[in-house]
């Protein structure tokens, strides 16, 4: 299985979300409590820089992942995403053994990990700024098929696991929202209880 097309789609989705953020939304809170919108996009910039570093054989952990003070976070994300995708066009990377923060894994595992980061933080960004919060379900399905094996519900709460407890999805939650719930996001707090039609998110109420 080649996760790269799904990673490309997720980056294109998230690039569009970031580009649509207005200046007055940059200081809004997000479902990822340590980040406001500007810092969240800065974190996404860090993830694509790390994805590029992984493909280039550099030390991923030496690449900063939290970049809250970028002057043009959306532009930096777009250029960083393009640079990462260019590196990962090399087919041999899919079977290369690469060390990333979650372990030493084949390149396919690197791509799935950064696909997950992009989808979940894309969901964070979308709901924080009042945008459509569902990505391509095919890419979400790739992560959902693998992610619970490596991050099961029963290991949450450890200081070494940077994910909250699994949250019960709303009855009609879409695939991306459910993936965010698995990562500990409480979508009811942001989208309301109604399962048929998502409520207006906080971001669109404030903007």
């Amino acid at each position: 299985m080649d996760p790269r097309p799904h990673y490309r789609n997720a980056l294109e989705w998230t690039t569009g979300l970031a580009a649509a953020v207005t200046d007055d939304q940059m200081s809004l809170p997000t479902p990822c409590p340590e980040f406001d919108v500007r810092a969240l996009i800065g974190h996404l910039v860090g993830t694509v820089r790390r994805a590029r570093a992984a493909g280039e054989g550099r030390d991923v952990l030496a690449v900063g992942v939290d970049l809250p003070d970028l002057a043009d976070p959306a532009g930096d994300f777009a250029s960083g995403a393009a640079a990462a995708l260019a590196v990962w066009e090399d087919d041999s990377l899919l079977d290369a053994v690469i060390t990333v923060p979650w372990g030493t894994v084949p390149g396919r595992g690197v791509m799935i990990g950064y696909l997950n980061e992009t989808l979940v933080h894309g969901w964070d960004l979308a709901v924080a700024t009042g945008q459509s919060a569902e990505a391509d379900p095919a890419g979400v399905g790739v992560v959902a098929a693998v992610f619970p094996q490596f991050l099961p519900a029963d290991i949450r709460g450890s200081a070494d696991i940077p994910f909250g407890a699994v949250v019960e999805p709303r009855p009609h939650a879409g695939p991306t929202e459910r993936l965010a719930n698995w990562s500990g996001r409480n979508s009811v707090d942001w989208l309301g209880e109604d399962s048929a039609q998502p409520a207006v998110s906080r971001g669109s109420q404030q903007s």
Side-chain angles (χ1 to χ4, degrees):
M1 191 271 293
D2 185 350
R4 293 175 300 178
H6 300 297
Y7 185 48
R8 180 181 296 276
N9 288 342
L11 288 175
E12 289 176 353
W13 172 63
T14 312
T15 297
L17 294 174
V21 173
T22 58
D23 289 342
D24 62 335
Q25 291 178 316
M26 285 291 185
S27 60
L28 290 176
T30 75
C32 198
E34 61 265 40
F35 299 137
D36 63 10
V37 167
R38 180 182 293 278
L40 177 62
I41 302 174
H43 178 73
L44 281 162
V45 172
T47 68
V48 293
R49 290 181 180 179
R50 283 190 167 185
R52 176 182 178 179
E56 292 176 337
R58 293 186 284 121
D59 180 2
V60 171
L61 293 178
V63 178
V65 74
D66 291 329
L67 306 166
D69 301 317
L70 296 173
D72 181 18
D76 287 341
F77 180 67
S79 60
L85 289 170
V87 168
W88 280 90
E89 288 180 358
D90 181 354
D91 293 343
S92 69
L93 290 176
L94 292 176
D95 295 315
V97 177
I98 300 171
T99 299
V100 284
W102 54 91
T104 299
V105 297
R108 288 177 173 82
V110 174
M111 283 285 91
I112 292 172
Y114 285 118
L115 172 59
N116 175 70
E117 286 259 5
T118 304
L119 292 169
V120 173
H121 286 311
W123 184 89
D124 291 334
L125 180 60
V127 300
T129 57
Q131 301 186 64
S132 176
E134 285 297 319
D136 177 10
V140 177
V142 168
V143 177
V146 174
F147 197 44
Q149 302 173 45
F150 294 96
L151 191 68
D154 59 5
I155 68 170
R156 309 301 174 89
S158 166
D160 298 328
I161 305 298
F163 292 88
V166 174
V167 174
E168 182 69 24
R170 301 184 303 158
H172 289 275
T176 311
E177 182 179 338
R178 289 176 178 270
L179 182 63
N181 296 148
W182 186 263
S183 292
R185 305 300 197 268
N186 190 335
S187 48
V188 170
D189 287 350
W190 288 84
L191 299 173
E193 293 280 359
D194 182 13
S195 58
Q197 291 291 331
V200 175
S201 75
R202 294 181 188 179
S204 56
Q205 287 173 337
Q206 294 182 26
S207 60

